[in-house]
Amino acid sequence: MLFRLSLTLTIASAGTGIFWLLGLPLPFLFGPLFACLIAALLGVNLKNAGQLGVGMRTILGVAVGASITPQVVERLPQMTASILMVPIYVILIGMVGVPFFRKVYKFDWPTAWYAAMPG
């Protein structure tokens, strides 16, 4: 189990490094996601980080929350059209994604729902 966790963290770190070196956006988020996705698709048996992952998601949540400033709130009226499109987008994603994951991948209902929903 420790080997799988070490392997997963090594793959995630490599993804971060590659994204960082290539100047790609959000290297500490997308790098590990992309690297672990590729590894999983290649059949590598990965392990989640347990409480470490929970802590990292907490830090990410605080960082995102701290980016909401009075200036962002002032600009909300300019973003009205985009904000109004979010529920429509989520509904459309659900209408397409859930049946897709149910029929193509034979996921059960909850798994298909969570696989289809953004964020």
Side-chain angles (χ1 to χ4, degrees):
M1 186 180 309
L2 185 59
F3 172 77
R4 283 181 33 219
L5 179 59
S6 297
L7 177 62
T8 302
L9 294 174
T10 301
I11 291 168
S13 297
T16 301
I18 291 168
F19 267 59
W20 182 283
L21 289 173
L22 295 176
L24 295 171
L26 299 171
F28 289 90
L29 177 63
F30 291 143
L33 285 173
F34 185 77
C36 289
L37 169 66
I38 297 301
L41 291 174
L42 292 173
V44 177
N45 193 3
L46 303 174
K47 170 97 175 88
N48 76 35
Q51 290 302 312
L52 177 63
V54 172
M56 292 297 114
R57 284 190 297 278
T58 301
I59 291 169
L60 181 61
V62 169
V64 169
S67 69
I68 304 298
T69 63
Q71 291 80 14
V72 171
V73 175
E74 283 177 9
R75 295 197 56 192
L76 284 176
Q78 298 168 348
M79 299 182 225
T80 302
S82 296
I83 293 169
L84 292 175
M85 294 297 286
V86 171
I88 295 166
Y89 169 76
V90 171
I91 290 167
L92 288 174
I93 287 293
M95 289 172 59
V96 172
V98 173
F100 172 80
F101 287 116
R102 297 267 299 146
K103 288 182 172 63
V104 174
Y105 292 102
K106 308 293 188 228
F107 287 173
D108 61 10
W109 179 259
T111 304
W113 173 263
Y114 286 108
M117 290 298 110

